[in-house]
Amino acid sequence: MCKIRAIKRTFTLFLLICLTSIVLTGCWDRTEINDLALILAAGMDKGKKNNIELSVLIFIPHPQQSGQGSEMSGGKSSGQSFVRSAEGETVADAMARLQEALTRKVFWGQNEVLLIGDKLAKKGISEQIDFWMRHSEPRIRADVFVSKGNAKTVLKTMPELEKDASKQLRKIVKTHIGVKVTVKDLLQMLSSESNAAVLPWVENLSPSQMDSKKAIPTINGAAIFKDGKMVGRLSDKETRGILWPRNEIKSGVFTISFKDETGYISLNLLRSHNELIPSIRNGKWSMHIKTNAELEVIQNTTKFNLFDPNVIKKAEQKVEYEIDQRERFVFTEVQRKLKADIFGFADEFEKNYPQIWKQKRDQWNEIFPEVAVSFETKVNIQRTGLADGKPKRGAER
């Protein structure tokens, strides 16, 4: 009887081992990193045959050893990365042709930047962005930019402080000085009621513009889109003006001066909040923009005593005027000239006046340029630092 039980236990244990081995698949289908072409950034340009040229910045896990050739077919090797391009009728077609030219499998998990050449942007990007949203591999959190000239040219630049153009652009856009837009954000803007979008504008600074031997990509303004096509661009100063109504301003320094006083006061933005208040009365459409900002004094070269409430009030009014003027200036450019609703006015009117919006939706392109815009700006200086305008000689710091 004991032998029978022992045999049963042994058989049961053997059966469990066999069943367990079935689900232990091991690493038979693993993909080594040396078998992958890691995409760090991608660029789309208008091709020579009026098609799509897809360029990718590919990371090399193991850099080439000295003595090996520095040239690679379709692109140049630059330390840790190189650029390869392919043309196709669509982005998907170009991607397939690109894969055919590579010995390693393309991996999009590390792609953080998508660059669009200005020629393609003017032609239209809706169909191309559709690919980036439908395909399961490219990241929808990648930052999107529009480049002056070909996107491929920007990808080939080698910044001095960062290892490649992708890292350079990512670091700049994280400062929140300009607009920051991901693939997901862009699709949402293009599919919104306003059907308008804004993207960071990238330019290559030539060596003659700085103390450098290489061209370096930098963000200098923004590109404006309407109905999926680029209709114009804004300067760096104008771009900062659109950040306030879009509630995207995160940092900034204001330097103000007064007519009756020499010197300047510089203030750093701590936080801000903007609110869009739509109104439709007697058939007239209007938008009231409320801005609240909190700042701190970071430098004072005047003789004003910043502990004086009257001085602080005067400084706050001056900053309020500066913010108000920036917003008015950019609205004149975007609303009157470009006629592109990049501020989300359409969404606010739809939310607050759904019945009227249903009737007037098709007329929005004619209504938007005529919307009356008013501003209400409130600035509060939280910290002032030293009481006197200039530190006294011998004063303790």
Side-chain angles (χ1 to χ4, degrees):
M1 192 68 178
C2 292
K3 287 185 177 181
I4 295 176
R5 290 179 178 176
I7 293 173
K8 286 183 177 181
R9 290 195 189 101
T10 303
F11 178 76
T12 302
L13 180 61
F14 175 76
L15 185 62
L16 287 174
I17 293 174
C18 291
L19 292 174
T20 303
S21 64
I22 294 176
V23 298
L24 296 177
T25 56
C27 300
W28 61 272
D29 63 341
R30 69 179 180 180
T31 303
E32 297 288 349
I33 190 171
N34 291 340
D35 297 328
L36 297 176
L38 306 179
I39 307 300
L40 301 179
M44 296 187 298
D45 290 304
K46 184 179 178 181
K48 298 179 181 178
K49 300 179 180 180
N50 204 30
N51 53 7
I52 300 297
E53 181 182 29
L54 177 65
S55 303
V56 292
L57 180 65
I58 302 176
F59 175 71
I60 306 173
H62 296 288
Q64 294 179 339
Q65 301 296 325
S66 59
Q68 293 183 342
S70 61
E71 295 287 330
M72 297 192 71
S73 176
K76 293 183 178 181
S77 177
S78 302
Q80 292 287 330
S81 60
F82 69 97
V83 175
R84 183 68 63 86
S85 302
E87 293 189 24
E89 298 302 323
T90 64
V91 179
D93 185 31
M95 182 186 290
R97 295 176 185 272
L98 188 66
Q99 179 63 81
E100 291 174 359
L102 295 171
T103 57
R104 300 185 181 187
K105 178 178 173 54
V106 172
F107 179 72
W108 291 91
Q110 299 297 320
N111 179 43
E112 297 181 326
V113 167
L114 173 60
L115 272 165
I116 303 172
D118 58 356
K119 291 183 179 179
L120 180 61
K122 294 174 182 178
K123 180 182 177 182
I125 62 172
S126 297
E127 295 179 356
Q128 284 69 44
I129 296 302
D130 177 77
F131 164 81
W132 293 97
M133 290 300 300
R134 291 180 183 274
H135 202 289
S136 59
E137 293 183 8
R139 300 177 61 178
I140 62 174
R141 296 291 182 183
D143 290 313
V144 188
F145 306 84
V146 176
S147 66
K148 180 181 179 180
N150 289 335
K152 177 170 64 176
T153 304
V154 177
L155 292 180
K156 288 183 177 181
T157 59
M158 293 300 297
E160 293 180 332
L161 293 179
E162 306 300 335
K163 65 181 181 179
D164 52 52
S166 172
K167 186 65 68 175
Q168 168 86 1
L169 294 175
R170 288 274 294 177
K171 288 290 185 69
I172 295 177
V173 82
K174 282 184 178 181
T175 62
H176 295 285
I177 295 177
V179 291
K180 184 181 186 301
V181 181
T182 64
V183 174
K184 181 181 179 181
D185 297 332
L186 177 58
L187 184 68
Q188 290 176 341
M189 286 189 285
L190 293 177
S191 60
S192 66
E193 293 293 339
S194 61
N195 197 18
V198 55
L199 292 176
W201 177 265
V202 176
E203 295 180 356
N204 270 342
L205 291 180
S206 63
S208 61
Q209 295 176 273
M210 54 192 170
D211 186 18
S212 174
K213 297 181 180 180
K214 301 178 181 179
I216 296 178
T218 186
I219 299 175
N220 185 22
I224 307 300
F225 287 77
K226 184 178 180 181
D227 298 327
K229 297 181 179 180
M230 178 179 165
V231 294
R233 64 173 296 259
L234 302 177
S235 66
D236 188 58
K237 181 179 179 180
E238 292 169 335
T239 301
R240 296 185 185 186
I242 69 174
L243 296 178
W244 293 97
R246 287 171 59 88
N247 216 25
E248 295 179 0
I249 188 75
K250 303 297 182 182
S251 62
V253 175
F254 295 87
T255 299
I256 59 176
S257 61
F258 304 92
K259 293 182 179 179
D260 302 331
E261 177 66 32
T262 58
Y264 301 89
I265 298 177
S266 293
L267 304 101
N268 181 51
L269 178 67
L270 296 174
R271 62 191 64 88
S272 68
H273 177 73
N274 286 66
E275 184 180 1
L276 301 180
I277 306 175
S279 176
I280 302 177
R281 294 181 180 177
N282 300 323
K284 296 183 178 181
W285 299 52
S286 63
M287 182 68 71
H288 186 63
I289 301 177
K290 293 182 65 175
T291 302
N292 290 284
E294 296 180 3
L295 301 96
E296 64 175 348
V297 178
I298 56 176
Q299 187 175 8
N300 177 26
T301 62
T302 70
K303 295 181 180 180
F304 284 133
N305 184 348
L306 296 181
F307 280 175
D308 186 344
N310 294 326
V311 173
I312 293 299
K313 184 65 177 179
K314 189 176 181 179
E316 290 175 342
Q317 291 175 347
K318 184 68 175 180
V319 176
E320 290 172 358
Y321 174 79
E322 292 290 336
I323 296 175
D324 187 83
Q325 288 300 108
R326 291 186 185 187
E327 291 182 315
R328 290 180 186 276
F329 178 72
V330 75
F331 265 94
T332 300
E333 182 71 20
V334 176
Q335 185 185 21
R336 302 294 183 182
K337 296 181 181 180
L338 301 180
K339 300 180 180 180
D341 178 19
I342 61 174
F343 310 102
F345 282 11
D347 295 327
E348 294 297 327
F349 280 113
E350 180 193 23
K351 182 170 58 178
N352 290 273
Y353 299 93
Q355 297 303 322
I356 298 178
W357 180 257
K358 288 181 180 180
Q359 300 173 7
K360 301 292 185 178
R361 172 183 293 170
D362 296 336
Q363 304 175 32
W364 179 241
N365 286 335
E366 292 75 33
I367 294 174
F368 173 67
E370 303 301 324
V371 174
V373 181
S374 58
F375 301 89
E376 179 184 346
T377 306
K378 179 65 176 177
V379 169
N380 184 15
I381 298 178
Q382 296 286 336
R383 296 191 285 269
T384 58
L386 290 173
D388 295 332
K390 296 181 180 179
K392 296 179 181 180
R393 184 176 297 178
E396 293 184 2
R397 298 298 301 273

